Amino acid sequence: MASVNRVLNVVWFKRDLRVTDHAPLMQACARGPVLPLYAYEPSLIAQPDVSAQHVAFINECLQTLEADLNAVGLKLVTRIGEMDEVLAAIKQRAGAFNLWSHEETGSGATYERDKRVAAWCRANGVVWHESPNGAVVRRLNDRDRWSSVWMQRMKNAPLDAPCLATMADAVLDSHGIVAIDLLPVNGRDKALRQRGGRAVALADLHSFFNERGQHYRFEMSSPLTAADACSRISAHLAYGSLSVREAVHAVWVQRDRLLAMDAHEREPGWLPSLKSFEGRLHWHCHFMQKLESDPRIEFTNMHRAYAGLREDNHNVALQTAWRNGETGLPMIDACMRMLAATGWINFRMRAMLVSFSSYHLWQHWREPALHLAREFLDYEPGIHYPQVQMQSGTTGINTVRMYNPIKQARDQDPTGEFVRRWIPVLARVPTDFIFEPWRMPDNLQREYGCVLGRDYPVPVVDVIAAAEHARSTMWIKRKGNEFREEAQAIFETHGSRNPAREGVKARKTGAARESRKTEIDTRQTSLF
């Protein structure tokens, strides 16, 4: 342990709003007086991937973070301002200091912000100590070893909260640094969204392992069952009120407890569900590593063969209908309306929404991705953009997978309960017509109070014809050695190849393996 000194140690909280399993906080507390800091950065809040619900959730996380910091003798300081400006003000008040934080795999805006902060630190003699976050590896030069890195990092026990911090109150008082109120939420929050904060995160994890998660493996696909069967910790992971490593260790504790029982004492379903859930935690970091290794994924197609394919085909009317849940396809519309109200929908339905926008509506993925980023409470850039590209078919290493919204409705909502819940105008429509109301004769439309074009939209697209056009167009792009060579290069950088899961041949037949099963139907990261 380093010797204690009186130089101030500023701990910069970003998407890691907790005191446990927080290496920067632990290391700073071992060095001397600590100033915990969170900055509301106007340039980031104004980004097109941020919405009011995100700020509200952050505020709730900060309230519990403040209480947890108080318990170890620290006071949370919040500031409104660009981070380099905030640091400059602290230096003017308190003099020299060290800066501590986790590495962040965020959007292009946070990447540029970090570069500005690094430049400011160099110019002002401030040493910035960054710790790895989860299993994402900075400057990874060999994807083959990534899975072993994940396991190595996860095996280490989560860090406890630090002991009573050194002279924190004296530092705050002597330099006149005091906390401010939480940033007011500007815009419409979602009344039905999850609440934020460490206590809620732990409660969600506990109820998943003890009540809700027994049939997770089979119930996570349907929007009828997923809201309860999924762990619902994705937003807590996104803002760091819970760490990935804490979640992994919780899985292992539950697994070991079950394995210690006699087989006849175990409730069926738990072990397969825990295995599936652990796999999703692995995929969580796997997808974030993609954006860390290539930040361009946020903005440009992964495979260059798709450049110009849909970029100039933006249709405002189609996008508006999709965003508002007014496409005339009941399963699409019900999912978009649930998402608008709650900030959450399960992964299979997320994949269907992106697939429908990309293939059936033939829209480029970038603007829909930004809309969904604002709608997803658990928006995590490192997961979001690789997933959107995967579901849009632009990675070059995944198969072209198109979700038929009518088939998905029949498979995942066989009685129409979910559709009726979110589209009340269809409540009286018989199940035979609920997913294709345009098939109803005019007299039945009038009888059930659902006249197409008046009470509910006529479909904006012919699902079958649109899919056929998209499929033929996408597959033409995938032909030829040039496509395959670039796909193999993409796989070398981004592909999953865990020999225990995909086999030794995965390295040699990477793009083909990747497109077969490893990521095309993961049903994972939206997650949990």
Side-chain angles (χ1 to χ4, degrees):
M1 180 181 296
S3 59
V4 174
N5 58 64
R6 296 189 61 82
V7 175
L8 179 64
N9 294 279
V10 176
V11 178
W12 177 15
F13 287 90
K14 295 188 279 186
R15 295 172 76 94
D16 52 357
L17 304 179
R18 62 183 184 274
V19 299
T20 57
D21 204 27
H22 199 293
L25 179 62
M26 183 68 77
Q27 293 163 359
C29 287
R31 294 288 295 270
V34 173
L35 175 65
L37 173 68
Y38 183 84
Y40 294 99
E41 301 167 81
S43 64
L44 298 187
I45 294 172
Q47 290 296 311
D49 57 356
V50 177
S51 62
Q53 65 166 342
H54 298 143
V55 176
F57 191 87
I58 289 169
N59 285 347
E60 291 160 359
C61 292
L62 290 176
Q63 288 177 307
T64 59
L65 175 62
E66 180 182 29
D68 291 340
L69 286 168
N70 290 345
V72 298
L74 296 171
K75 294 181 180 179
L76 177 64
V77 172
T78 61
R79 284 288 181 267
I80 300 174
E82 304 306 326
M83 191 59 189
D84 51 344
E85 297 171 356
V86 170
L87 295 176
I90 292 175
K91 189 172 187 293
Q92 184 177 12
R93 288 264 190 164
F97 63 87
N98 296 311
L99 181 63
W100 304 79
S101 76
H102 275 115
E103 297 169 346
E104 181 176 3
T105 302
S107 66
T110 65
Y111 179 54
E112 293 300 322
R113 182 275 317 276
D114 281 356
K115 291 196 290 187
R116 292 194 301 271
V117 170
W120 183 90
C121 288
R122 289 193 298 269
N124 289 272
V126 171
V127 179
W128 183 8
H129 306 270
E130 290 187 277
S131 298
N133 191 16
V136 178
V137 181
R138 285 268 172 99
R139 293 173 288 278
L140 178 67
N141 56 16
D142 182 3
R143 186 73 191 207
D144 289 345
R145 69 182 183 89
W146 182 83
S147 286
S148 64
V149 172
W150 186 91
M151 183 56 70
Q152 180 183 9
R153 290 192 184 176
M154 293 303 120
K155 279 185 176 179
N156 294 326
L159 298 171
D160 293 330
C163 297
L164 193 65
T166 305
M167 298 179 63
D169 290 338
V171 172
L172 292 169
D173 295 340
S174 64
H175 296 291
I177 300 172
V178 296
I180 65 170
D181 292 334
L182 301 173
L183 183 71
V185 176
N186 182 21
R188 185 182 66 84
D189 192 7
K190 296 181 187 294
L192 300 180
R193 67 166 173 82
Q194 284 181 273
R195 302 298 105 176
R198 174 75 175 180
V200 179
L202 294 177
D204 286 342
L205 198 62
H206 180 271
S207 66
F208 174 70
F209 285 135
N210 291 278
E211 302 165 20
R212 301 182 290 106
Q214 183 176 357
H215 303 294
Y216 163 79
R217 184 180 184 184
F218 301 104
E219 294 183 344
M220 61 180 168
S221 294
S222 170
L224 282 169
T225 54
D228 288 327
C230 291
S231 74
R232 305 302 302 274
I233 67 168
S234 52
H236 305 306
L237 293 176
Y239 291 96
S241 51
L242 186 73
S243 75
V244 174
R245 184 161 57 180
E246 288 179 301
V248 170
H249 276 256
V251 172
W252 291 346
V253 168
Q254 291 296 112
R255 179 199 62 195
D256 292 347
R257 181 182 65 82
L258 290 170
L259 290 175
M261 296 179 179
D262 291 335
H264 69 276
E265 295 178 340
R266 297 181 204 137
E267 292 183 277
W270 274 112
L271 282 174
S273 290
L274 290 175
K275 182 178 180 180
S276 294
F277 182 62
E278 182 182 347
R280 274 65 184 171
L281 292 170
H282 183 279
W283 284 107
H284 173 277
C285 300
H286 164 70
F287 275 91
M288 291 184 69
Q289 184 65 55
K290 291 174 185 278
L291 188 64
E292 177 66 35
S293 296
D294 186 1
R296 295 176 302 170
I297 291 173
E298 180 182 353
F299 304 103
T300 61
N301 297 324
M302 289 177 67
H303 199 298
R304 289 176 296 178
Y306 298 110
L309 183 66
R310 291 173 289 210
E311 285 87 331
D312 297 329
N313 197 40
H314 183 69
N315 186 308
V316 174
L318 289 179
Q319 282 296 293
T320 300
W322 177 78
R323 286 197 300 266
N324 294 341
E326 296 175 347
T327 67
L329 279 299
M331 197 61 169
I332 297 292
D333 294 345
C335 288
M336 291 301 283
R337 295 181 190 194
M338 175 182 174
L339 183 57
T342 69
W344 189 87
I345 191 78
N346 61 310
F347 176 74
R348 179 175 283 271
M349 297 301 100
R350 296 187 190 206
M352 179 190 69
L353 293 174
V354 176
S355 169
F356 183 79
S357 174
S358 298
Y359 296 127
H360 295 91
L361 302 185
W362 202 241
Q363 301 296 289
H364 185 52
W365 54 265
R366 173 65 181 167
E367 286 302 319
L370 289 173
H371 174 74
L372 292 176
R374 294 187 293 270
E375 292 293 287
F376 293 161
L377 178 63
D378 56 14
Y379 166 58
E380 177 71 76
I383 296 172
H384 187 69
Y385 292 105
Q387 279 284 349
V388 166
Q389 289 223 38
M390 190 173 89
Q391 304 304 337
S392 298
T394 55
T395 67
I397 61 174
N398 305 108
T399 195
V400 176
R401 185 181 182 98
M402 300 179 192
Y403 288 77
N404 182 323
I406 300 170
K407 181 181 185 302
Q408 287 299 313
R410 290 172 179 156
D411 290 347
Q412 308 303 337
D413 184 29
T415 67
E417 177 185 347
F418 176 75
V419 164
R420 291 186 177 92
R421 182 185 307 166
W422 292 102
I423 310 178
V425 73
L426 298 178
R428 296 173 55 211
V429 173
T431 302
D432 287 347
F433 298 111
I434 189 71
F435 306 127
E436 300 173 275
W438 57 89
R439 292 178 50 244
M440 281 193 298
D442 291 346
N443 64 315
L444 291 184
Q445 292 184 32
R446 291 190 295 271
E447 179 180 347
Y448 296 122
C450 182
V451 175
L452 273 290
R454 184 193 73 184
D455 304 309
Y456 186 67
V458 174
V460 297
V461 67
D462 182 317
V463 170
I464 303 302
E468 289 177 352
H469 167 266
R471 187 175 293 107
S472 61
T473 305
M474 295 297 292
W475 279 107
I476 288 173
K477 293 285 186 180
R478 297 174 72 92
K479 294 181 178 180
N481 291 333
E482 186 176 347
F483 181 95
R484 287 190 290 271
E485 288 171 2
E486 183 169 340
Q488 185 62 38
I490 293 170
F491 176 82
E492 289 298 325
T493 301
H494 297 297
S496 169
R497 46 211 187 261
N498 182 339
R501 182 174 59 245
E502 288 127 28
V504 176
K505 293 182 180 179
R507 290 186 61 188
K508 296 184 178 180
T509 59
R513 292 273 177 177
E514 193 86 345
S515 67
R516 177 176 58 83
K517 185 61 179 175
T518 56
E519 294 184 78
I520 60 173
D521 189 20
T522 52
R523 297 185 292 273
Q524 73 275 20
T525 30
S526 61
L527 256 120
F528 317 120

